Amino acid sequence: GIVAKIAGDADYVFQQVDMDGNGHVDREELKQLFNLLECYISPAELEEVFNALDEDKDGTISQREFTNWYCQSEERILSQVRHVFDKIDTDHSNTIDKEELKTL
């Protein structure tokens, strides 16, 4: 996921993506974000992502819309990491010891 490659809280990341500082992310800014992260997508994929983030369909992604997406993505990543951790932590000690690592 793209959020895994982005460092910082949602507000900081939004300010970096909103390159012209107008308080909204447009299609070109979103495209530049993907390119910067070396996530090359087709114009159709970009449009699909943009439309998913533009909840109110006003043609821009507001900071609220961006933050909603960012936080949902971050929660999903943490959930997936926790799931993998729990699979490795077979004795449910909330730590991974050498013996559990050997099973990988």
Side-chain angles (χ1 to χ4, degrees):
I2 191 170
V3 172
K5 294 183 177 186
I6 302 174
D9 67 23
D11 291 336
Y12 173 78
V13 173
F14 182 83
Q15 291 171 4
Q16 302 307 304
V17 176
D18 179 21
M19 296 174 192
D20 63 9
N22 70 354
H24 293 88
V25 173
D26 60 28
R27 285 169 176 79
E28 187 58 33
E29 290 168 325
L30 187 63
K31 179 182 175 183
Q32 289 178 17
L33 170 65
F34 278 102
N35 290 340
L36 182 69
L37 296 170
E38 298 178 359
C39 295
Y40 303 108
I41 61 175
S42 71
E45 290 169 321
L46 178 68
E47 192 64 21
E48 184 178 329
V49 171
F50 188 90
N51 288 333
L53 271 65
D54 181 17
E55 297 169 4
D56 63 6
K57 306 303 179 210
D58 68 351
T60 62
I61 299 166
S62 68
Q63 187 163 359
R64 181 192 57 77
E65 291 167 330
F66 183 87
T67 300
N68 288 347
W69 166 76
Y70 187 91
C71 291
Q72 289 171 0
S73 297
E74 189 173 43
E75 288 170 17
R76 197 167 32 252
I77 291 168
L78 290 174
S79 174
Q80 291 169 348
V81 168
R82 185 67 203 192
H83 178 72
V84 171
F85 182 92
D86 289 345
K87 280 184 154 182
I88 298 168
D89 180 26
T90 57
D91 65 3
H92 308 290
S93 65
N94 218 25
T95 61
I96 297 175
D97 59 36
K98 289 182 202 176
E99 294 306 313
E100 289 168 325
L101 279 176
K102 288 180 183 177
T103 65
L104 294 178

